[in-house]
Amino acid sequence: AARADTSVTSTDEALAFTEGSIPPAGPLTIDQPDVYYGQLMNNYSIVGASGEKREYDANGGAYVSYQGSGGVSLGNFFTRLAFTVNWKDTNFLLNGAASASGAKVIFNRDPKTMVEKVAPFLTVDGDPYPVVANGRITWILDGYTTMANYPYSERQSLSDLTHTSLQQGQKDTQINYIRNSVKATVDAYDGTVTLYAWEPDDPVLKSWMNIYPGLVKSADDMPDSIRQHIRYPQDLFDVQRGLLAQYHITDPVQAYNGTGKWQVPDDPFASRGIPQPPYYILAAPPGAPATSAAEFQLTSPMVVPGGTNNLAAYMSVNSDYGPDYGTITVLEVPTENNIDGPSQIGNIFTSEPVISKDISLLGGGQSSVLHGNLLTLPVGDSFLYVEPLYVQGTGGTSSFPTLQRVLVTYGTNKGYAETLDKALADLQTPGDVGASIDTTGGTVPPPSPVPTGSSSSGSGSSSPPPPNATIDQLLAQLATAQANLNAAYDTHDPGKIADAQAARDAIVARLIDAQPTPSPTPGPTK
């Protein structure tokens, strides 16, 4: 996990990441690492049976038995019969683990579902996030009170406002009132749900608290270990930026004619018409000197509607718990500045020969190219765009993305390299885009030896390409390295997979470097 208060560009892994190895080893202290309630889990699990330990723990192949308070006891025959009928699964009656002493069934395990069951009057944010507090893993969720009949307020589709390329959005509901009135926590081990009144003055929440006394605790009862992890919710920010696109206009004539509106930009690397999500960043406050203390922010660019899609504004909300939490800052871009928006930055990947060539090569074979978050950052009197490129193998189930390239743009300048610092250096260096990437015009230097532990069955590790290897030789080496990687996937050993993927990626990088550099297209002189 990357730490929010540390630059992940640091070469010191201890500074860049909270946990640095698998199994985890780092400054976090997790007394109870087992996760029984979380996302993407089975509908139900039978746990806690006494006697032989039956619950698999991937850490070293050990087995454990659940000792938490969550779940429903299966000690009664009629209870097991009810669950058999409900899930149409005879294991509740026929499997000895279900009838064993102490056996329980845990279900409704998704944190969002659990909060909705406890407080059905809340609309729960679509992005729960886990934190470590007091040695336990805890999910934090944001709950909203909403209504559709608030006087003198226009109704909006909550689904349309919260739908982005990373989130499906809330269910299709018309609302004209929304407040982040509740912060909720779900214990990942025992499933305990706790609700805190984050905005106790909300009249809608007050009404529900009168109906369900004792259900929602005071925000003062929230432990400080949880409070320090509070962040500004994405769905609420999606709603606010969508409405600000129109209601930032203060001139009545412009408001009547519909001119001067903004628009949430489309994600240039998603299906057409899908809005770009907001992104969390750690940076100096918008408009503040670069030497200012960094703050945790949720940010989004806004663009001019129509054909240009130029940048119109930059919106940021303080996400650090403290007196400035929730403060929204908007930087408006003068229309005469004509600063590129996200769509124009996305076009660079198809218009720049060096970049489009890399994407074709990196995405060939059993690999796919993934576009990272396109970040918009106010710097000086303009905006810096940062876009990482990742490569992920498609031949196995345990592949993870690896960073291969970074594109940065500032005004008319572009930088492109293997890392962020090199891309920024390329940005400031006159010459062709990507000039800092080492190319050798069809030949490559000898690579470092292939890491051990990446052998395929019966063939051993791939040997390194010879000095000045030709492209054909590299392609042959790449095929062998990919076969080794596929074999590593079958072992389910993270170390072997990482070694084999590193070997494959090293050959891919050298293959890219071996491609002839395209001649620059003549253009007008300045």
Side-chain angles (χ1 to χ4, degrees), residues 128-198:
Y129 58 100
V131 304
V132 175
N134 294 328
R136 299 177 72 90
I137 300 173
T138 302
W139 294 90
I140 298 181
L141 304 92
D142 290 276
Y144 309 110
T145 49
T146 62
M147 58 190 304
N149 53 358
Y150 192 81
Y152 308 110
S153 182
E154 181 182 1
R155 292 183 181 180
Q156 298 279 345
S157 169
L158 184 59
S159 174
D160 291 344
L161 290 172
T162 57
H163 179 53
T164 69
S165 60
L166 291 181
Q167 297 287 343
Q168 288 297 322
Q170 296 286 347
K171 61 183 179 180
D172 191 10
T173 304
Q174 294 290 318
I175 66 167
N176 63 2
Y177 177 94
I178 181 171
R179 290 183 71 172
N180 179 206
S181 302
V182 172
K183 300 283 188 182
T185 62
V186 177
D187 189 281
Y189 185 70
D190 61 27
T192 301
V193 178
T194 308
L195 307 178
Y196 300 97
W198 193 248

Side-chain angles (χ1 to χ4, degrees), residues 8 16 32 100 125 131 155 195 232 264 273 310 312-313 346 349 377 383 392 417 445 491:
V8 296
Q32 183 50 266
D125 192 88
V131 304
R155 292 183 181 180
L195 307 178
Y232 200 81
V264 176
N310 286 335
F349 285 87
L377 307 171
F383 288 84
Q392 183 174 18
T491 67

Side-chain angles (χ1 to χ4, degrees), residues 192-216:
T192 301
V193 178
T194 308
L195 307 178
Y196 300 97
W198 193 248
E199 293 190 23
D201 295 332
D202 175 23
V204 179
L205 179 62
K206 284 182 177 181
S207 298
W208 286 115
M209 291 176 67
N210 289 333
I211 297 173
Y212 300 104
L215 178 63
V216 183

Side-chain angles (χ1 to χ4, degrees), residues 451-465:
T452 59
S454 58
S455 61
S456 61
S457 55
S459 62
S461 300
S462 59
S463 58

Side-chain angles (χ1 to χ4, degrees), residues 20 24 41 52 143 155 169 174 199 236 254 282 309 324 354 395 429 433 490 510:
M41 308 192 83
E52 181 183 358
R155 292 183 181 180
Q174 294 290 318
E199 293 190 23
L236 179 61
Q254 280 191 333
L282 186 76
N309 283 323
D324 294 328
V354 173
T429 303
V433 176
D490 295 335
R510 289 177 173 82

Side-chain angles (χ1 to χ4, degrees), residues 358-420:
D358 276 7
I359 291 179
S360 298
L361 289 172
L362 291 170
Q366 294 187 340
S367 298
S368 61
V369 173
L370 303 178
H371 291 272
N373 298 342
L374 175 56
L375 300 181
T376 307
L377 307 171
V379 177
D381 58 358
S382 188
F383 288 84
L384 175 73
Y385 285 99
V386 181
E387 167 67 17
L389 277 179
Y390 300 88
V391 173
Q392 183 174 18
T394 58
T397 59
S398 303
S399 179
F400 53 88
T402 57
L403 179 66
Q404 293 293 330
R405 295 289 188 268
V406 178
L407 170 72
V408 295
T409 70
Y410 187 78
T412 58
N413 295 340
K414 305 179 185 71
Y416 181 69
E418 299 93 337
T419 61
L420 177 59

Side-chain angles (χ1 to χ4, degrees), residues 1 5 53 58 64 84 167 172 181 191 229 258 337 378 384 408 419 436 453 523:
D5 62 346
K53 295 180 179 180
V64 298
T84 298
Q167 297 287 343
D172 191 10
S181 302
H229 290 289
N337 282 24
L384 175 73
V408 295
T419 61
S436 63

Side-chain angles (χ1 to χ4, degrees), residues 19 26-32 132 134-136:
E19 302 284 354
L28 289 181
T29 301
I30 306 179
D31 301 324
Q32 183 50 266
V132 175
N134 294 328
R136 299 177 72 90

